[in-house]
Each structure stands twice: as C-alpha cells, then as structure tokens.
PDB file of all heavy atoms in Angstrom:
ATOM      1  N   ASP A1365     -90.945 -15.036  91.067  1.00 75.00           N
ATOM      2  CA  ASP A1365     -90.707 -14.553  92.435  1.00 75.00           C
ATOM      3  C   ASP A1365     -90.570 -15.715  93.421  1.00 75.00           C
ATOM      4  O   ASP A1365     -89.738 -15.669  94.337  1.00 75.00           O
ATOM      5  CB  ASP A1365     -91.851 -13.637  92.888  1.00 75.00           C
ATOM      6  CG  ASP A1365     -91.850 -12.318  92.124  1.00 75.00           C
ATOM      7  OD1 ASP A1365     -90.772 -11.913  91.656  1.00 75.00           O
ATOM      8  OD2 ASP A1365     -92.926 -11.700  91.988  1.00 75.00           O
ATOM      9  N   PHE A1366     -91.377 -16.753  93.230  1.00 79.00           N
ATOM     10  CA  PHE A1366     -91.335 -17.920  94.127  1.00 79.00           C
ATOM     11  C   PHE A1366     -89.974 -18.603  94.049  1.00 79.00           C
ATOM     12  O   PHE A1366     -89.383 -18.971  95.071  1.00 79.00           O
ATOM     13  CB  PHE A1366     -92.439 -18.917  93.744  1.00 79.00           C
ATOM     14  CG  PHE A1366     -92.464 -20.152  94.605  1.00 79.00           C
ATOM     15  CD1 PHE A1366     -93.145 -20.157  95.805  1.00 79.00           C
ATOM     16  CD2 PHE A1366     -91.791 -21.307  94.197  1.00 79.00           C
ATOM     17  CE1 PHE A1366     -93.161 -21.302  96.610  1.00 79.00           C
ATOM     18  CE2 PHE A1366     -91.796 -22.449  94.987  1.00 79.00           C
ATOM     19  CZ  PHE A1366     -92.490 -22.451  96.199  1.00 79.00           C
ATOM     20  N   VAL A1367     -89.467 -18.777  92.827  1.00 75.00           N
ATOM     21  CA  VAL A1367     -88.165 -19.422  92.634  1.00 75.00           C
ATOM     22  C   VAL A1367     -87.062 -18.600  93.281  1.00 75.00           C
ATOM     23  O   VAL A1367     -86.194 -19.133  93.977  1.00 75.00           O
ATOM     24  CB  VAL A1367     -87.878 -19.627  91.128  1.00 75.00           C
ATOM     25  CG1 VAL A1367     -86.425 -20.036  90.906  1.00 75.00           C
ATOM     26  CG2 VAL A1367     -88.810 -20.682  90.554  1.00 75.00           C
ATOM     27  N   ASP A1368     -87.080 -17.275  93.071  1.00 73.00           N
ATOM     28  CA  ASP A1368     -86.066 -16.401  93.669  1.00 73.00           C
ATOM     29  C   ASP A1368     -86.067 -16.501  95.192  1.00 73.00           C
ATOM     30  O   ASP A1368     -85.009 -16.510  95.830  1.00 73.00           O
ATOM     31  CB  ASP A1368     -86.297 -14.941  93.248  1.00 73.00           C
ATOM     32  CG  ASP A1368     -85.875 -14.679  91.818  1.00 73.00           C
ATOM     33  OD1 ASP A1368     -85.173 -15.534  91.239  1.00 73.00           O
ATOM     34  OD2 ASP A1368     -86.256 -13.627  91.273  1.00 73.00           O
ATOM     35  N   GLU A1369     -87.261 -16.587  95.770  1.00 77.00           N
ATOM     36  CA  GLU A1369     -87.394 -16.584  97.224  1.00 77.00           C
ATOM     37  C   GLU A1369     -87.003 -17.919  97.858  1.00 77.00           C
ATOM     38  O   GLU A1369     -86.372 -17.954  98.918  1.00 77.00           O
ATOM     39  CB  GLU A1369     -88.834 -16.243  97.610  1.00 77.00           C
ATOM     40  CG  GLU A1369     -89.063 -16.163  99.115  1.00 77.00           C
ATOM     41  CD  GLU A1369     -90.498 -15.799  99.467  1.00 77.00           C
ATOM     42  OE1 GLU A1369     -91.276 -15.451  98.550  1.00 77.00           O
ATOM     43  OE2 GLU A1369     -90.840 -15.874 100.669  1.00 77.00           O
ATOM     44  N   HIS A1370     -87.381 -19.028  97.213  1.00 75.00           N
ATOM     45  CA  HIS A1370     -87.215 -20.334  97.851  1.00 75.00           C
ATOM     46  C   HIS A1370     -86.033 -21.174  97.348  1.00 75.00           C
ATOM     47  O   HIS A1370     -85.527 -22.036  98.080  1.00 75.00           O
ATOM     48  CB  HIS A1370     -88.502 -21.152  97.677  1.00 75.00           C
ATOM     49  CG  HIS A1370     -89.681 -20.595  98.413  1.00 75.00           C
ATOM     50  ND1 HIS A1370     -90.512 -19.636  97.859  1.00 75.00           N
ATOM     51  CD2 HIS A1370     -90.153 -20.843  99.663  1.00 75.00           C
ATOM     52  CE1 HIS A1370     -91.457 -19.331  98.732  1.00 75.00           C
ATOM     53  NE2 HIS A1370     -91.265 -20.036  99.828  1.00 75.00           N
ATOM     54  N   PHE A1371     -85.615 -20.958  96.120  1.00 76.00           N
ATOM     55  CA  PHE A1371     -84.583 -21.834  95.555  1.00 76.00           C
ATOM     56  C   PHE A1371     -83.266 -21.135  95.253  1.00 76.00           C
ATOM     57  O   PHE A1371     -82.273 -21.791  94.941  1.00 76.00           O
ATOM     58  CB  PHE A1371     -85.098 -22.507  94.274  1.00 76.00           C
ATOM     59  CG  PHE A1371     -86.284 -23.401  94.493  1.00 76.00           C
ATOM     60  CD1 PHE A1371     -87.411 -23.283  93.701  1.00 76.00           C
ATOM     61  CD2 PHE A1371     -86.279 -24.348  95.508  1.00 76.00           C
ATOM     62  CE1 PHE A1371     -88.513 -24.105  93.899  1.00 76.00           C
ATOM     63  CE2 PHE A1371     -87.372 -25.168  95.720  1.00 76.00           C
ATOM     64  CZ  PHE A1371     -88.491 -25.050  94.917  1.00 76.00           C
ATOM     65  N   TYR A1372     -83.240 -19.811  95.307  1.00 76.00           N
ATOM     66  CA  TYR A1372     -82.000 -19.109  94.994  1.00 76.00           C
ATOM     67  C   TYR A1372     -81.144 -19.022  96.258  1.00 76.00           C
ATOM     68  O   TYR A1372     -80.983 -17.975  96.861  1.00 76.00           O
ATOM     69  CB  TYR A1372     -82.291 -17.708  94.445  1.00 76.00           C
ATOM     70  CG  TYR A1372     -81.144 -17.152  93.618  1.00 76.00           C
ATOM     71  CD1 TYR A1372     -81.095 -17.314  92.253  1.00 76.00           C
ATOM     72  CD2 TYR A1372     -80.092 -16.471  94.231  1.00 76.00           C
ATOM     73  CE1 TYR A1372     -80.046 -16.818  91.496  1.00 76.00           C
ATOM     74  CE2 TYR A1372     -79.035 -15.964  93.499  1.00 76.00           C
ATOM     75  CZ  TYR A1372     -79.019 -16.136  92.127  1.00 76.00           C
ATOM     76  OH  TYR A1372     -77.965 -15.648  91.396  1.00 76.00           O
ATOM     77  N   ASN A1373     -80.589 -20.172  96.650  1.00 80.00           N
ATOM     78  CA  ASN A1373     -79.701 -20.248  97.810  1.00 80.00           C
ATOM     79  C   ASN A1373     -78.618 -21.278  97.537  1.00 80.00           C
ATOM     80  O   ASN A1373     -78.735 -22.103  96.622  1.00 80.00           O
ATOM     81  CB  ASN A1373     -80.488 -20.602  99.077  1.00 80.00           C
ATOM     82  CG  ASN A1373     -81.253 -21.909  98.930  1.00 80.00           C
ATOM     83  OD1 ASN A1373     -80.659 -22.981  98.897  1.00 80.00           O
ATOM     84  ND2 ASN A1373     -82.579 -21.815  98.836  1.00 80.00           N
ATOM     85  N   TYR A1374     -77.582 -21.244  98.334  1.00 82.00           N
ATOM     86  CA  TYR A1374     -76.416 -22.066  98.019  1.00 82.00           C
ATOM     87  C   TYR A1374     -76.696 -23.568  98.104  1.00 82.00           C
ATOM     88  O   TYR A1374     -76.100 -24.372  97.374  1.00 82.00           O
ATOM     89  CB  TYR A1374     -75.238 -21.682  98.924  1.00 82.00           C
ATOM     90  CG  TYR A1374     -75.248 -22.275 100.311  1.00 82.00           C
ATOM     91  CD1 TYR A1374     -74.643 -23.504 100.571  1.00 82.00           C
ATOM     92  CD2 TYR A1374     -75.846 -21.595 101.373  1.00 82.00           C
ATOM     93  CE1 TYR A1374     -74.642 -24.044 101.846  1.00 82.00           C
ATOM     94  CE2 TYR A1374     -75.838 -22.130 102.646  1.00 82.00           C
ATOM     95  CZ  TYR A1374     -75.235 -23.347 102.880  1.00 82.00           C
ATOM     96  OH  TYR A1374     -75.233 -23.886 104.140  1.00 82.00           O
ATOM     97  N   ILE A1375     -77.622 -23.982  98.967  1.00 87.00           N
ATOM     98  CA  ILE A1375     -77.920 -25.418  99.108  1.00 87.00           C
ATOM     99  C   ILE A1375     -78.554 -25.961  97.832  1.00 87.00           C
ATOM    100  O   ILE A1375     -78.128 -27.000  97.289  1.00 87.00           O
ATOM    101  CB  ILE A1375     -78.850 -25.664 100.314  1.00 87.00           C
ATOM    102  CG1 ILE A1375     -78.139 -25.284 101.616  1.00 87.00           C
ATOM    103  CG2 ILE A1375     -79.287 -27.125 100.350  1.00 87.00           C
ATOM    104  CD1 ILE A1375     -79.006 -25.398 102.849  1.00 87.00           C
ATOM    105  N   CYS A1376     -79.584 -25.262  97.333  1.00 86.00           N
ATOM    106  CA  CYS A1376     -80.256 -25.701  96.098  1.00 86.00           C
ATOM    107  C   CYS A1376     -79.302 -25.673  94.909  1.00 86.00           C
ATOM    108  O   CYS A1376     -79.303 -26.580  94.072  1.00 86.00           O
ATOM    109  CB  CYS A1376     -81.466 -24.805  95.817  1.00 86.00           C
ATOM    110  SG  CYS A1376     -82.861 -25.096  96.929  1.00 86.00           S
ATOM    111  N   VAL A1377     -78.488 -24.618  94.830  1.00 87.00           N
ATOM    112  CA  VAL A1377     -77.534 -24.497  93.732  1.00 87.00           C
ATOM    113  C   VAL A1377     -76.524 -25.650  93.770  1.00 87.00           C
ATOM    114  O   VAL A1377     -76.235 -26.273  92.747  1.00 87.00           O
ATOM    115  CB  VAL A1377     -76.800 -23.138  93.791  1.00 87.00           C
ATOM    116  CG1 VAL A1377     -75.622 -23.122  92.813  1.00 87.00           C
ATOM    117  CG2 VAL A1377     -77.765 -22.010  93.466  1.00 87.00           C
ATOM    118  N   ALA A1378     -75.996 -25.941  94.955  1.00 90.00           N
ATOM    119  CA  ALA A1378     -75.008 -27.012  95.094  1.00 90.00           C
ATOM    120  C   ALA A1378     -75.600 -28.375  94.737  1.00 90.00           C
ATOM    121  O   ALA A1378     -74.963 -29.180  94.043  1.00 90.00           O
ATOM    122  CB  ALA A1378     -74.468 -27.035  96.521  1.00 90.00           C
ATOM    123  N   ILE A1379     -76.823 -28.629  95.191  1.00 91.00           N
ATOM    124  CA  ILE A1379     -77.483 -29.904  94.880  1.00 91.00           C
ATOM    125  C   ILE A1379     -77.677 -30.044  93.368  1.00 91.00           C
ATOM    126  O   ILE A1379     -77.408 -31.108  92.790  1.00 91.00           O
ATOM    127  CB  ILE A1379     -78.832 -30.011  95.613  1.00 91.00           C
ATOM    128  CG1 ILE A1379     -78.601 -30.164  97.120  1.00 91.00           C
ATOM    129  CG2 ILE A1379     -79.639 -31.200  95.083  1.00 91.00           C
ATOM    130  CD1 ILE A1379     -79.871 -30.095  97.948  1.00 91.00           C
ATOM    131  N   ALA A1380     -78.138 -28.973  92.727  1.00 89.00           N
ATOM    132  CA  ALA A1380     -78.358 -29.009  91.279  1.00 89.00           C
ATOM    133  C   ALA A1380     -77.043 -29.239  90.535  1.00 89.00           C
ATOM    134  O   ALA A1380     -76.986 -30.001  89.558  1.00 89.00           O
ATOM    135  CB  ALA A1380     -79.007 -27.711  90.821  1.00 89.00           C
ATOM    136  N   LEU A1381     -75.983 -28.580  90.981  1.00 92.00           N
ATOM    137  CA  LEU A1381     -74.669 -28.761  90.352  1.00 92.00           C
ATOM    138  C   LEU A1381     -74.235 -30.223  90.427  1.00 92.00           C
ATOM    139  O   LEU A1381     -73.807 -30.814  89.428  1.00 92.00           O
ATOM    140  CB  LEU A1381     -73.629 -27.880  91.050  1.00 92.00           C
ATOM    141  CG  LEU A1381     -73.625 -26.395  90.688  1.00 92.00           C
ATOM    142  CD1 LEU A1381     -72.789 -25.612  91.696  1.00 92.00           C
ATOM    143  CD2 LEU A1381     -73.085 -26.179  89.280  1.00 92.00           C
ATOM    144  N   ILE A1382     -74.351 -30.811  91.596  1.00 94.00           N
ATOM    145  CA  ILE A1382     -73.878 -32.183  91.796  1.00 94.00           C
ATOM    146  C   ILE A1382     -74.762 -33.195  91.073  1.00 94.00           C
ATOM    147  O   ILE A1382     -74.252 -34.103  90.399  1.00 94.00           O
ATOM    148  CB  ILE A1382     -73.809 -32.503  93.306  1.00 94.00           C
ATOM    149  CG1 ILE A1382     -72.719 -31.639  93.958  1.00 94.00           C
ATOM    150  CG2 ILE A1382     -73.541 -33.985  93.536  1.00 94.00           C
ATOM    151  CD1 ILE A1382     -72.713 -31.701  95.482  1.00 94.00           C
ATOM    152  N   VAL A1383     -76.078 -33.047  91.193  1.00 91.00           N
ATOM    153  CA  VAL A1383     -77.007 -34.007  90.570  1.00 91.00           C
ATOM    154  C   VAL A1383     -76.831 -34.044  89.058  1.00 91.00           C
ATOM    155  O   VAL A1383     -76.729 -35.126  88.452  1.00 91.00           O
ATOM    156  CB  VAL A1383     -78.465 -33.665  90.941  1.00 91.00           C
ATOM    157  CG1 VAL A1383     -79.434 -34.474  90.071  1.00 91.00           C
ATOM    158  CG2 VAL A1383     -78.724 -33.948  92.412  1.00 91.00           C
ATOM    159  N   PHE A1384     -76.758 -32.878  88.429  1.00 89.00           N
ATOM    160  CA  PHE A1384     -76.608 -32.871  86.969  1.00 89.00           C
ATOM    161  C   PHE A1384     -75.183 -33.218  86.556  1.00 89.00           C
ATOM    162  O   PHE A1384     -74.952 -33.680  85.437  1.00 89.00           O
ATOM    163  CB  PHE A1384     -77.056 -31.538  86.387  1.00 89.00           C
ATOM    164  CG  PHE A1384     -78.488 -31.552  85.951  1.00 89.00           C
ATOM    165  CD1 PHE A1384     -79.504 -31.458  86.893  1.00 89.00           C
ATOM    166  CD2 PHE A1384     -78.836 -31.709  84.627  1.00 89.00           C
ATOM    167  CE1 PHE A1384     -80.832 -31.499  86.511  1.00 89.00           C
ATOM    168  CE2 PHE A1384     -80.152 -31.759  84.233  1.00 89.00           C
ATOM    169  CZ  PHE A1384     -81.167 -31.652  85.167  1.00 89.00           C
ATOM    170  N   GLY A1385     -74.224 -33.001  87.435  1.00 92.00           N
ATOM    171  CA  GLY A1385     -72.866 -33.465  87.157  1.00 92.00           C
ATOM    172  C   GLY A1385     -72.833 -34.979  87.073  1.00 92.00           C
ATOM    173  O   GLY A1385     -72.252 -35.561  86.145  1.00 92.00           O
ATOM    174  N   ILE A1386     -73.468 -35.625  88.038  1.00 94.00           N
ATOM    175  CA  ILE A1386     -73.570 -37.095  88.034  1.00 94.00           C
ATOM    176  C   ILE A1386     -74.333 -37.565  86.799  1.00 94.00           C
ATOM    177  O   ILE A1386     -73.965 -38.561  86.159  1.00 94.00           O
ATOM    178  CB  ILE A1386     -74.256 -37.589  89.324  1.00 94.00           C
ATOM    179  CG1 ILE A1386     -73.373 -37.278  90.540  1.00 94.00           C
ATOM    180  CG2 ILE A1386     -74.552 -39.074  89.245  1.00 94.00           C
ATOM    181  CD1 ILE A1386     -74.050 -37.531  91.877  1.00 94.00           C
ATOM    182  N   ALA A1387     -75.405 -36.827  86.450  1.00 89.00           N
ATOM    183  CA  ALA A1387     -76.220 -37.203  85.282  1.00 89.00           C
ATOM    184  C   ALA A1387     -75.384 -37.207  84.008  1.00 89.00           C
ATOM    185  O   ALA A1387     -75.500 -38.125  83.179  1.00 89.00           O
ATOM    186  CB  ALA A1387     -77.397 -36.243  85.150  1.00 89.00           C
ATOM    187  N   PHE A1388     -74.541 -36.197  83.830  1.00 88.00           N
ATOM    188  CA  PHE A1388     -73.684 -36.147  82.651  1.00 88.00           C
ATOM    189  C   PHE A1388     -72.781 -37.381  82.581  1.00 88.00           C
ATOM    190  O   PHE A1388     -72.637 -38.000  81.528  1.00 88.00           O
ATOM    191  CB  PHE A1388     -72.813 -34.885  82.673  1.00 88.00           C
ATOM    192  CG  PHE A1388     -73.416 -33.733  81.930  1.00 88.00           C
ATOM    193  CD1 PHE A1388     -73.631 -32.519  82.566  1.00 88.00           C
ATOM    194  CD2 PHE A1388     -73.766 -33.847  80.598  1.00 88.00           C
ATOM    195  CE1 PHE A1388     -74.189 -31.451  81.890  1.00 88.00           C
ATOM    196  CE2 PHE A1388     -74.325 -32.780  79.908  1.00 88.00           C
ATOM    197  CZ  PHE A1388     -74.537 -31.584  80.558  1.00 88.00           C
ATOM    198  N   ILE A1389     -72.151 -37.715  83.691  1.00 93.00           N
ATOM    199  CA  ILE A1389     -71.223 -38.842  83.721  1.00 93.00           C
ATOM    200  C   ILE A1389     -71.949 -40.154  83.429  1.00 93.00           C
ATOM    201  O   ILE A1389     -71.492 -40.979  82.623  1.00 93.00           O
ATOM    202  CB  ILE A1389     -70.518 -38.914  85.089  1.00 93.00           C
ATOM    203  CG1 ILE A1389     -69.649 -37.664  85.287  1.00 93.00           C
ATOM    204  CG2 ILE A1389     -69.662 -40.181  85.194  1.00 93.00           C
ATOM    205  CD1 ILE A1389     -69.118 -37.495  86.697  1.00 93.00           C
ATOM    206  N   VAL A1390     -73.106 -40.359  84.065  1.00 92.00           N
ATOM    207  CA  VAL A1390     -73.874 -41.593  83.881  1.00 92.00           C
ATOM    208  C   VAL A1390     -74.381 -41.718  82.447  1.00 92.00           C
ATOM    209  O   VAL A1390     -74.234 -42.771  81.808  1.00 92.00           O
ATOM    210  CB  VAL A1390     -75.054 -41.650  84.878  1.00 92.00           C
ATOM    211  CG1 VAL A1390     -75.980 -42.822  84.549  1.00 92.00           C
ATOM    212  CG2 VAL A1390     -74.545 -41.759  86.303  1.00 92.00           C
ATOM    213  N   ILE A1391     -74.977 -40.645  81.934  1.00 87.00           N
ATOM    214  CA  ILE A1391     -75.546 -40.692  80.586  1.00 87.00           C
ATOM    215  C   ILE A1391     -74.466 -40.914  79.536  1.00 87.00           C
ATOM    216  O   ILE A1391     -74.635 -41.714  78.602  1.00 87.00           O
ATOM    217  CB  ILE A1391     -76.334 -39.402  80.295  1.00 87.00           C
ATOM    218  CG1 ILE A1391     -77.593 -39.355  81.158  1.00 87.00           C
ATOM    219  CG2 ILE A1391     -76.725 -39.321  78.810  1.00 87.00           C
ATOM    220  CD1 ILE A1391     -78.296 -38.022  81.148  1.00 87.00           C
ATOM    221  N   GLU A1392     -73.354 -40.217  79.667  1.00 85.00           N
ATOM    222  CA  GLU A1392     -72.268 -40.392  78.697  1.00 85.00           C
ATOM    223  C   GLU A1392     -71.687 -41.806  78.776  1.00 85.00           C
ATOM    224  O   GLU A1392     -71.318 -42.380  77.756  1.00 85.00           O
ATOM    225  CB  GLU A1392     -71.166 -39.360  78.949  1.00 85.00           C
ATOM    226  CG  GLU A1392     -71.521 -37.945  78.523  1.00 85.00           C
ATOM    227  CD  GLU A1392     -71.540 -37.777  77.003  1.00 85.00           C
ATOM    228  OE1 GLU A1392     -71.551 -38.790  76.272  1.00 85.00           O
ATOM    229  OE2 GLU A1392     -71.545 -36.623  76.549  1.00 85.00           O
ATOM    230  N   THR A1393     -71.622 -42.395  79.975  1.00 89.00           N
ATOM    231  CA  THR A1393     -71.116 -43.760  80.122  1.00 89.00           C
ATOM    232  C   THR A1393     -72.055 -44.758  79.466  1.00 89.00           C
ATOM    233  O   THR A1393     -71.619 -45.677  78.752  1.00 89.00           O
ATOM    234  CB  THR A1393     -70.951 -44.110  81.621  1.00 89.00           C
ATOM    235  OG1 THR A1393     -70.031 -43.188  82.221  1.00 89.00           O
ATOM    236  CG2 THR A1393     -70.429 -45.524  81.785  1.00 89.00           C
ATOM    237  N   ILE A1394     -73.357 -44.569  79.685  1.00 85.00           N
ATOM    238  CA  ILE A1394     -74.355 -45.481  79.117  1.00 85.00           C
ATOM    239  C   ILE A1394     -74.386 -45.404  77.592  1.00 85.00           C
ATOM    240  O   ILE A1394     -74.518 -46.416  76.900  1.00 85.00           O
ATOM    241  CB  ILE A1394     -75.761 -45.168  79.693  1.00 85.00           C
ATOM    242  CG1 ILE A1394     -75.805 -45.504  81.182  1.00 85.00           C
ATOM    243  CG2 ILE A1394     -76.842 -45.951  78.943  1.00 85.00           C
ATOM    244  CD1 ILE A1394     -77.088 -45.069  81.867  1.00 85.00           C
ATOM    245  N   HIS A1395     -74.254 -44.174  77.062  1.00 78.00           N
ATOM    246  CA  HIS A1395     -74.381 -43.975  75.619  1.00 78.00           C
ATOM    247  C   HIS A1395     -73.057 -44.090  74.864  1.00 78.00           C
ATOM    248  O   HIS A1395     -73.023 -43.909  73.650  1.00 78.00           O
ATOM    249  CB  HIS A1395     -74.995 -42.596  75.342  1.00 78.00           C
ATOM    250  CG  HIS A1395     -76.463 -42.530  75.621  1.00 78.00           C
ATOM    251  ND1 HIS A1395     -76.964 -42.427  76.888  1.00 78.00           N
ATOM    252  CD2 HIS A1395     -77.537 -42.558  74.795  1.00 78.00           C
ATOM    253  CE1 HIS A1395     -78.290 -42.385  76.836  1.00 78.00           C
ATOM    254  NE2 HIS A1395     -78.665 -42.465  75.586  1.00 78.00           N
ATOM    255  N   LYS A1396     -71.973 -44.401  75.571  1.00 77.00           N
ATOM    256  CA  LYS A1396     -70.678 -44.480  74.909  1.00 77.00           C
ATOM    257  C   LYS A1396     -70.683 -45.547  73.805  1.00 77.00           C
ATOM    258  O   LYS A1396     -71.032 -46.701  74.035  1.00 77.00           O
ATOM    259  CB  LYS A1396     -69.578 -44.814  75.928  1.00 77.00           C
ATOM    260  CG  LYS A1396     -68.181 -44.787  75.342  1.00 77.00           C
ATOM    261  CD  LYS A1396     -67.124 -45.038  76.404  1.00 77.00           C
ATOM    262  CE  LYS A1396     -65.728 -44.966  75.805  1.00 77.00           C
ATOM    263  NZ  LYS A1396     -64.674 -45.201  76.843  1.00 77.00           N
ATOM    264  N   GLY A1397     -70.305 -45.136  72.612  1.00 71.00           N
ATOM    265  CA  GLY A1397     -70.235 -46.062  71.486  1.00 71.00           C
ATOM    266  C   GLY A1397     -71.552 -46.303  70.778  1.00 71.00           C
ATOM    267  O   GLY A1397     -71.584 -46.929  69.710  1.00 71.00           O
ATOM    268  N   LYS A1398     -72.657 -45.815  71.340  1.00 75.00           N
ATOM    269  CA  LYS A1398     -73.960 -46.023  70.722  1.00 75.00           C
ATOM    270  C   LYS A1398     -74.203 -45.008  69.606  1.00 75.00           C
ATOM    271  O   LYS A1398     -73.735 -43.879  69.673  1.00 75.00           O
ATOM    272  CB  LYS A1398     -75.078 -45.915  71.770  1.00 75.00           C
ATOM    273  CG  LYS A1398     -75.104 -47.067  72.763  1.00 75.00           C
ATOM    274  CD  LYS A1398     -76.319 -46.961  73.676  1.00 75.00           C
ATOM    275  CE  LYS A1398     -76.385 -48.144  74.647  1.00 75.00           C
ATOM    276  NZ  LYS A1398     -77.578 -48.053  75.540  1.00 75.00           N
ATOM    277  N   ASP A1399     -74.951 -45.435  68.606  1.00 75.00           N
ATOM    278  CA  ASP A1399     -75.287 -44.552  67.505  1.00 75.00           C
ATOM    279  C   ASP A1399     -76.476 -43.674  67.899  1.00 75.00           C
ATOM    280  O   ASP A1399     -77.402 -44.139  68.565  1.00 75.00           O
ATOM    281  CB  ASP A1399     -75.651 -45.376  66.259  1.00 75.00           C
ATOM    282  CG  ASP A1399     -75.759 -44.516  65.016  1.00 75.00           C
ATOM    283  OD1 ASP A1399     -75.025 -43.506  64.935  1.00 75.00           O
ATOM    284  OD2 ASP A1399     -76.578 -44.835  64.141  1.00 75.00           O
ATOM    285  N   HIS A1400     -76.441 -42.404  67.503  1.00 79.00           N
ATOM    286  CA  HIS A1400     -77.531 -41.489  67.838  1.00 79.00           C
ATOM    287  C   HIS A1400     -78.574 -41.470  66.726  1.00 79.00           C
ATOM    288  O   HIS A1400     -78.232 -41.452  65.538  1.00 79.00           O
ATOM    289  CB  HIS A1400     -76.976 -40.075  68.054  1.00 79.00           C
ATOM    290  CG  HIS A1400     -76.036 -39.977  69.205  1.00 79.00           C
ATOM    291  ND1 HIS A1400     -74.668 -40.094  69.069  1.00 79.00           N
ATOM    292  CD2 HIS A1400     -76.272 -39.812  70.540  1.00 79.00           C
ATOM    293  CE1 HIS A1400     -74.098 -39.979  70.255  1.00 79.00           C
ATOM    294  NE2 HIS A1400     -75.038 -39.806  71.156  1.00 79.00           N
ATOM    295  N   LYS A1401     -79.836 -41.455  67.117  1.00 85.00           N
ATOM    296  CA  LYS A1401     -80.923 -41.451  66.135  1.00 85.00           C
ATOM    297  C   LYS A1401     -81.056 -40.099  65.447  1.00 85.00           C
ATOM    298  O   LYS A1401     -81.432 -40.017  64.281  1.00 85.00           O
ATOM    299  CB  LYS A1401     -82.246 -41.799  66.828  1.00 85.00           C
ATOM    300  CG  LYS A1401     -82.293 -43.185  67.454  1.00 85.00           C
ATOM    301  CD  LYS A1401     -83.640 -43.434  68.109  1.00 85.00           C
ATOM    302  CE  LYS A1401     -83.852 -42.515  69.304  1.00 85.00           C
ATOM    303  NZ  LYS A1401     -85.138 -42.770  70.003  1.00 85.00           N
TER     304      LYS A1401
END
C-alpha cells in the first residue's frame, strides 16, 4: 500500500526508467568482451 501511494506516479516511473536505462548501457560497456564466470 505504501508503494502504491507514494511511488506509483509518473515522476518515480520516469526516474526509474532513465536510471536503469543508463545502468544497462554502462554495465554492457564495462563488460564488453569480458568472460562471464
């Protein structure tokens, strides 16, 4: 209920979309060519 009330809004959603979008790009760039354990 707390999450629905305080975080289910367009600002939080947009921030999460952008932050994790950047995370994907950064992580994939850093790990490019590396072997996975």
Side-chain angles (χ1 to χ4, degrees):
D1365 291 334
F1366 180 85
V1367 169
D1368 285 346
E1369 182 179 351
H1370 293 87
F1371 298 130
Y1372 202 93
N1373 57 71
Y1374 81 90
I1375 295 176
C1376 287
V1377 169
I1379 291 172
L1381 282 166
I1382 293 171
V1383 168
F1384 266 77
I1386 294 171
F1388 267 124
I1389 296 169
V1390 171
I1391 291 169
E1392 286 288 15
T1393 300
I1394 293 173
H1395 285 78
K1396 185 176 182 180
K1398 290 186 178 180
D1399 191 32
H1400 297 94
K1401 298 180 294 182

